[in-house]
Amino acid sequence: MSSSTRHTPPVPDETTAEGRVRHFLSAPRTMLIGGVWESAVSGHVFDTVDPATGSVLTQVPDGDGQDIDRAVTAARRAFADPSWRRLSALDRGQLLHHVADVIEANADELALLESRDNGKPVSVARAVDVGTSVKLFRYFAGWPTKLEGSTIPVSPRGGLRVLNYTTHQPVGVVGLIVPWNFPMSMACWKLAPALATGCTVVLKPAEETPLSTLRLAELLVEAGVPDGVVNVVTGRGATAGAALAAHDGVDKIAFTGSTETGRAIVQAAAGNLKKVSLELGGKSPNIVLPDADPEAVAEAAAQAIFFNQGQVCTAGSRLYVHDALYDDVLEAVSERAERIVVGPGDDPATEMGPLVSARHHARVTGYIASGRQQGARLTAGGGPPEVAGLYAEGYFLRPTVFADADHGMRIVREEIFGPVLATMRWNNVDDLVAKANDSPFGLSAGIWTSDLGHAHRIADDLQAGTVWINCFNLTDPASPFGGVKQSGWGREMGRTVLDLYTEVKSVWVNFG
């Protein structure tokens, strides 16, 4: 099926999630700027494509710097408006609770829309993308009433009697740039703390997956978020994203995506020295100690790399297995990879959907070819599954396992961001830790063992923002998340993220 083919759907039944999604896709979309649904100033649009079929779902505005400027102006106006700026902490929290209610009420529709646009199974979109979004707004709804300052026992010169106290104030207008792997939940990772602290927002979704963000924007309006507080501009990273990062009317940028783009954002943000937080790439080691259960580890290792088609920044893409268990774990994880059902996201039997785009599919298959050329041994996958008919043009790839990889290979050194696992043996724990840390990235790591004392010692030595012991890829709105080295700056979620969206003001009062 050609990538330029448009489906002609039947008249939708809007009493069902399927019908509501069809209705949403039945016409080109617009952007939310200052409470008004707008086309791009240029009039340009671009296609958003179903990765399971290669067919066009709908068209969205191809926003650029002019549209970003309009959105920033609207956000600045809303930030200065007393109806938002003076909204009580209690009322702001109640508003976020209402946003969570509205998302939850539309969960089935949002999950199906996310699956169509991104390719992931509907069950994953429902549990992870939509479920996490609800949890995020509920968690951060509790914070506006708890953003307390301090009174500080200072010692001023001259014996003055003074009161010194601090307050936390919103940083201002924030630009949020989110990726395509978890489009809705990544938007909410940033939206919820930004709104909880009283900021206003210009949000740019990934060009590959804008649809759930546009539907979320409709729901934010429905929930009563004031005009201009949240603005959504669709467009390309090189135009809309770059303009947002460089805009002098933006006080902070929060970005999740590739390390390469993160560097460009830092450079663009230097003009007005805006605050920047970055959640970037990863190449996470998943470490198996000799006392682990091989079968349990194999299942967990497969989930760590193949979840969400391997399109996860924390994916356990480097599997280090002690020599005593290596053959057993390799055989079991390869067998599990071969059993994973690959198919369209709306098929209940599907465990792994297509990759997000033709371009990304070509990139991942290029890494598989590199692994073969550099001498790694392929034990599972390596090519497309057998698909036909409607899905013959989809961007499908079988889960892939390489054995006997080494640290000189690209599949070990570079982030693939796909369902490709590189397995390696180890014997000496010091050498293991050195190899695990021998990476420009430091986002996450996993350890599998029944000896928790040993696990704690290894965790202490690993250079990673998150270490999971006998689990993997667990996150929660209350727990900070982020990386070290080239995996980013700052932390998402938890109490820590609020510091990224606020400024501390120190007030001195001379009372004689």
Side-chain angles (χ1 to χ4, degrees):
M1 184 175 292
S2 167
S3 62
S4 62
T5 302
R6 288 287 294 273
H7 286 303
T8 304
V11 176
D13 176 5
E14 293 184 39
T15 64
T16 68
E18 175 70 34
R20 291 191 294 275
V21 167
R22 286 185 175 178
H23 175 73
F24 184 83
L25 299 175
S26 63
R29 311 309 307 169
T30 50
M31 306 179 294
L32 181 63
I33 299 178
V36 179
W37 292 97
E38 302 269 13
S39 300
V41 171
S42 67
H44 295 161
V45 297
F46 63 86
D47 296 337
T48 184
V49 174
D50 181 346
T53 64
S55 62
V56 174
L57 289 167
T58 189
Q59 294 180 321
V60 299
D62 193 358
D64 58 21
Q66 298 177 90
D67 305 293
I68 291 293
D69 191 59
R70 289 194 296 162
V72 172
T73 298
R76 293 228 69 88
R77 186 183 306 116
F79 184 67
D81 191 325
S83 66
W84 176 251
R85 192 170 181 82
R86 304 302 178 195
L87 189 66
S88 74
L90 182 62
D91 288 341
R92 186 176 297 117
Q94 289 176 333
L95 176 61
L96 267 62
H97 269 302
H98 189 40
V99 170
D101 291 340
V102 173
I103 293 173
E104 198 164 42
N106 292 273
D108 291 340
E109 175 195 347
L110 289 165
L112 184 56
L113 186 63
E114 194 81 309
S115 175
R116 292 279 168 80
D117 206 19
N118 170 273
K120 68 182 66 188
V122 173
S123 58
V124 173
R126 180 68 173 80
V128 178
D129 297 69
V130 181
T132 296
S133 298
V134 173
K135 286 177 65 177
L136 283 159
F137 273 99
R138 296 233 187 275
Y139 173 78
F140 283 104
W143 270 111
T145 56
K146 301 169 187 66
L147 283 173
E148 300 170 340
S150 305
T151 56
I152 302 172
V154 294
S155 303
R157 296 185 302 272
L160 290 176
R161 299 181 66 189
V162 300
L163 169 67
N164 179 228
Y165 65 91
T166 62
T167 62
H168 295 268
Q169 298 191 323
V171 70
V173 174
V174 297
L176 310 180
I177 304 176
V178 299
W180 47 256
N181 58 333
F182 295 97
M184 182 174 173
S185 59
M186 290 292 100
C188 294
W189 273 36
K190 294 169 170 45
L191 272 171
L195 298 180
T197 53
C199 295
T200 58
V201 168
V202 178
L203 170 60
K204 194 205 85 66
E207 61 203 70
E208 295 87 350
T209 54
L211 297 182
S212 62
T213 305
L214 290 175
R215 181 66 182 117
L216 174 63
E218 292 180 347
L219 297 177
L220 293 172
V221 172
E222 179 183 327
V225 174
D227 292 350
V229 169
V230 175
N231 307 272
V232 177
V233 176
T234 54
R236 304 174 197 274
T239 51
L244 184 58
H247 202 290
D248 286 343
V250 174
D251 301 298
K252 174 200 161 44
I253 287 285
F255 170 75
T256 296
S258 72
T259 298
E260 179 183 8
T261 303
R263 291 191 187 97
I265 285 175
V266 170
Q267 294 173 350
N272 69 338
L273 296 179
K274 58 174 62 68
K275 297 178 75 171
V276 177
S277 58
L278 305 169
E279 198 264 284
L280 305 177
K283 192 69 181 176
S284 299
N286 204 4
I287 295 166
V288 182
L289 273 61
D291 58 359
D293 177 351
E295 288 292 332
V297 163
E299 181 66 30
Q303 181 71 4
I305 181 61
F306 302 132
F307 169 65
N308 206 52
Q309 297 72 251
Q311 299 168 151
V312 184
C313 54
T314 57
S317 54
R318 293 188 287 155
L319 183 62
Y320 295 90
V321 185
H322 190 273
D323 190 63
L325 300 181
Y326 183 81
D327 291 337
D328 289 342
V329 171
L330 175 62
E331 180 181 2
V333 77
S334 299
E335 191 273 335
R336 178 68 183 99
E338 293 287 6
R339 286 191 289 109
I340 289 174
V341 178
V342 179
D346 57 2
D347 184 340
T350 292
E351 295 177 86
M352 197 178 91
L355 300 185
V356 73
S357 68
R359 180 174 64 179
H360 189 59
H361 185 274
R363 180 179 184 273
V364 175
T365 55
Y367 275 106
I368 294 172
S370 171
R372 285 171 160 164
Q373 291 164 2
Q374 292 189 308
R377 178 164 56 93
L378 191 68
T379 61
E386 293 184 5
V387 292
L390 180 64
Y391 305 110
E393 299 297 322
Y395 313 132
F396 297 99
L397 184 66
R398 291 164 59 203
T400 298
V401 179
F402 280 108
D404 306 329
D406 68 56
H407 275 247
M409 297 177 179
R410 292 180 63 211
I411 60 171
V412 175
R413 302 296 306 171
E414 300 176 20
E415 184 177 36
I416 299 173
F417 218 65
V420 181
L421 178 64
T423 65
M424 290 160 281
R425 300 174 184 266
W426 69 272
N427 284 293
N428 178 277
V429 70
D430 293 332
D431 180 60
L432 164 72
V433 171
K435 286 183 175 178
N437 288 337
D438 182 21
S439 171
F441 302 111
L443 189 57
S444 65
I447 302 170
W448 298 88
T449 180
S450 59
D451 183 344
L452 291 182
H454 200 182
H456 283 299
R457 289 190 294 273
I458 293 175
D460 192 54
D461 290 335
L462 291 174
Q463 297 168 356
T466 297
V467 178
W468 291 290
I469 298 174
N470 295 331
C471 57
F472 206 91
N473 269 339
L474 296 183
T475 62
D476 189 88
S479 179
F481 178 87
V484 301
K485 298 191 283 189
Q486 293 183 35
S487 287
W489 295 350
R491 295 293 181 269
E492 304 272 7
M493 301 194 294
R495 169 64 182 85
T496 307
V497 74
L498 301 173
D499 294 336
L500 300 178
Y501 293 94
T502 56
E503 299 281 13
V504 176
K505 178 179 286 185
S506 177
V507 180
W508 294 72
V509 181
N510 178 1
F511 60 94

